[in-house]
Amino acid sequence: MKNRILSITLAAVISTGVFSAPVQEFISPASVAAAASTVSAPEPSRKAGTYSVASSMTVKLTTDTSGAKIYYSTGSRYTLYTKPLKLTKNTTIKCYSVKNGVKSSVKTYKFRLSPKVSFSESEGSYDEPITVKLTAKASGVKLYYTLDGSKPTTSSNVYSDGITISRSATLRVLAVKSGWTKKYYTYEYKIKSAGASAESILENYTNKYAYSTLTSTQKKIYAKLFEAASAHADKADLTGIGAVKSDIDKTYWAFDYDNPQFFWLANGYRYTTMGNKVISISMVYSRTRSETEKIKPDFENAAQKIIDKALEQDTLFDRVKVIHDEIVDMTDYYISGPSYISEADGPLVHGRALCEGYSKAFMYLCQSVGIPCICVAGTGNGEPHMWNMLQLDGEWYNMDVTWDDNGGYDYFCVPTSQISADHRFDNTFPVPSATATTYTYTSAMGIEVHSTANAAYNWLVKNAAANWKKGIYTTTVYVGNGIMNSLISKMSAQSFFTDLRNNGCEPGGWSANYTDRTLTLTLS
């Protein structure tokens, strides 16, 4: 399955005469005077977005125009800005700058506050039952929780004075405060002395998504496959189950897309029938038992380092980002090679993989930190492809780590409506609905995504020029589906240099790397 080439240097495909040397142009005194009469709009000290805070947050407003006054509004009335703004609730700031009667454009910045909650006990393994106490410094915060891994709501248990955990559990907490954005927390606790084994999502297949889509007969087949693969057995005995061929076809792929830990399985199966019933499945392995046992320690050690790093993070977003980034950093894309490029040990042990390998390694690590995750198959840009779907705070998202292996986050926790621009699902089993955007990279990071080429172009010119004056020569702009070609066309025009100069920027040339949704401009 071939990876797209997503990184392109624009200077290499645009007329050499335009970019190979500094562009000089005579500027009349009149045009200089016109440029001097413009006033820069205010910029906040923090990016707009959602912040987890104890009780409040301070935002400063500044303008690049010396001597200009700033006016702001958090409601319907504008006030002269004289000191940093203290935000104690979700706030939309509108502001502009004025100098010598010239007014800048009005800018709008939305800040959302979510309650910061402290846990008395860090997640991990304990020899005895523990009591977890929750603390939120902001007044008026209400806390709701569950211990079964389900998404808490305002109808869930209300926190009062400590939560006793006597057996392994997933503690999920919902923090709610009027006028603020709600915040979810997830902590995993394993109690060694609880009497019951502390099974992870990785091993407890009855809690996995693809398993849940099967009939009762198919679930029995799935259990037999799991047992056989775990033991590296030659066959899975299905005598008496009453399975037919259609059951096998659906169950095997549900089993395969649920369970990345069996990296020694080959891609396929054989079965034996008696009459119209399937009585056994012959397991097909890509590695012998001895080869598997030799690889396992390296596989588990490599995975554990990433798991430990992910569990050090306080939020689900940061945990997923650690897993995403680690796989991208350690893996080179290979379109052909040994069987491991299609399995989880491709990235984790060998550092090379096809899309299946990326996806199965990502699934393995997610399930290891308690995040439900599956592989899904279909096409990407018309070619056979595999990616992931994962569940965060009860909502499903798409993740394509393979196509993000160019330094970007275009396919990080995106809804199906977005990934469907270039991905198509097959009908292996019904995939979950994915409509949420809370954990999409741009949403979680508070990044503005432009819906038109004009808006993206104007933002890029202004911010690239401002960065250039500060000695920062790269600027990244984010756009929606179908916008990039129009943006590149506008940048390719000679007027791009003129627009940069009109904003006080005098580059000698430029280049840009871009994907469908991000463009990083480098000025020289």
Side-chain angles (χ1 to χ4, degrees), residues 50-63:
T50 301
Y51 292 84
S52 181
V53 300
S55 59
S56 63
M57 184 177 74
T58 299
V59 176
K60 297 179 181 179
L61 299 177
T62 57
T63 175

Side-chain angles (χ1 to χ4, degrees), residues 191-226:
I191 310 301
K192 295 180 181 178
S193 62
S197 61
E199 289 186 327
S200 68
I201 288 179
L202 196 65
E203 300 300 330
N204 187 1
Y205 62 80
T206 61
N207 287 333
K208 296 189 179 186
Y209 174 80
Y211 177 86
S212 72
T213 68
L214 303 176
T215 66
S216 59
T217 296
Q218 292 163 356
K219 287 178 179 178
K220 293 177 183 178
I221 301 169
Y222 188 116
K224 292 290 186 178
L225 289 170
F226 194 96

Side-chain angles (χ1 to χ4, degrees), residues 212-492:
S212 72
T213 68
L214 303 176
T215 66
S216 59
T217 296
Q218 292 163 356
K219 287 178 179 178
K220 293 177 183 178
I221 301 169
Y222 188 116
K224 292 290 186 178
L225 289 170
F226 194 96
E227 179 183 351
S230 299
H232 212 289
D234 293 334
K235 289 185 178 181
D237 185 3
L238 306 185
T239 304
I241 290 179
V244 297
K245 182 181 181 300
S246 59
D247 291 321
I248 306 302
D249 293 339
K250 181 175 181 181
T251 305
Y252 186 88
W253 295 115
F255 165 74
D256 188 52
Y257 289 4
D258 259 352
N259 294 286
Q261 66 271 38
F262 302 127
F263 60 83
W264 50 92
L265 274 175
N267 191 8
Y269 58 91
R270 297 188 297 270
Y271 57 88
T272 302
T273 61
M274 181 176 290
N276 66 339
K277 303 298 182 183
V278 179
I279 60 172
S280 68
I281 295 179
S282 297
M283 307 298 289
V284 183
Y285 298 109
S286 60
R287 265 67 67 91
T288 65
R289 186 191 298 270
S290 61
E291 289 171 337
T292 298
E293 293 304 319
K294 184 177 180 179
I295 296 169
K296 268 187 178 180
D298 292 337
F299 177 84
E300 292 171 354
N301 289 337
Q304 194 61 50
K305 290 178 182 179
I306 302 174
I307 292 166
D308 291 343
K309 185 176 180 179
L311 290 176
E312 290 174 359
Q313 311 306 312
D314 291 332
T315 68
L316 281 174
F317 172 80
D318 289 329
R319 289 180 185 179
V320 173
K321 186 173 181 297
V322 163
I323 295 171
H324 172 283
D325 292 352
E326 289 290 330
I327 293 176
V328 165
D329 289 344
M330 68 169 46
T331 312
D332 292 327
Y333 182 85
Y334 272 66
I335 195 169
S336 63
S339 60
Y340 63 69
I341 69 171
S342 295
E343 301 299 336
D345 63 321
L348 291 171
V349 178
H350 307 284
R352 56 181 67 176
L354 192 59
C355 57
E356 289 99 332
Y358 281 86
S359 300
K360 290 180 180 179
F362 181 80
M363 176 168 55
Y364 182 92
L365 295 170
C366 281
Q367 290 187 6
S368 296
V369 299
I371 297 173
C373 183
I374 59 174
C375 285
V376 292
T379 60
N381 280 342
E383 296 187 359
H385 189 50
M386 178 178 283
W387 63 99
N388 296 103
M389 294 189 75
L390 68 160
Q391 188 182 47
L392 302 171
D393 287 334
E395 302 283 356
W396 285 91
Y397 297 83
N398 292 275
M399 174 78 79
D400 193 336
V401 185
T402 310
W403 279 18
D404 271 353
D405 194 2
N406 62 347
Y409 297 91
D410 288 357
Y411 298 91
F412 189 103
C413 289
V414 298
T416 297
S417 60
Q418 182 170 328
I419 204 168
S420 292
D422 39 36
H423 290 56
R424 295 290 182 272
F425 295 85
D426 68 14
N427 296 316
T428 304
F429 57 83
V431 298
S433 172
T435 59
T437 58
T438 303
Y439 287 100
T440 298
Y441 184 79
T442 51
S443 296
M445 298 294 289
I447 295 171
E448 184 177 5
V449 179
H450 301 281
S451 59
T452 68
N454 283 337
Y457 178 84
N458 293 335
W459 185 95
L460 182 61
V461 168
K462 176 181 177 298
N463 285 275
N467 286 339
W468 186 85
K469 286 185 282 187
K470 297 174 184 176
I472 302 171
Y473 301 111
T474 60
T475 304
T476 300
V477 64
Y478 293 76
V479 301
N481 284 338
I483 304 299
M484 186 57 69
N485 288 340
S486 296
L487 173 60
I488 293 170
S489 179
K490 292 181 68 66
M491 293 171 62
S492 301

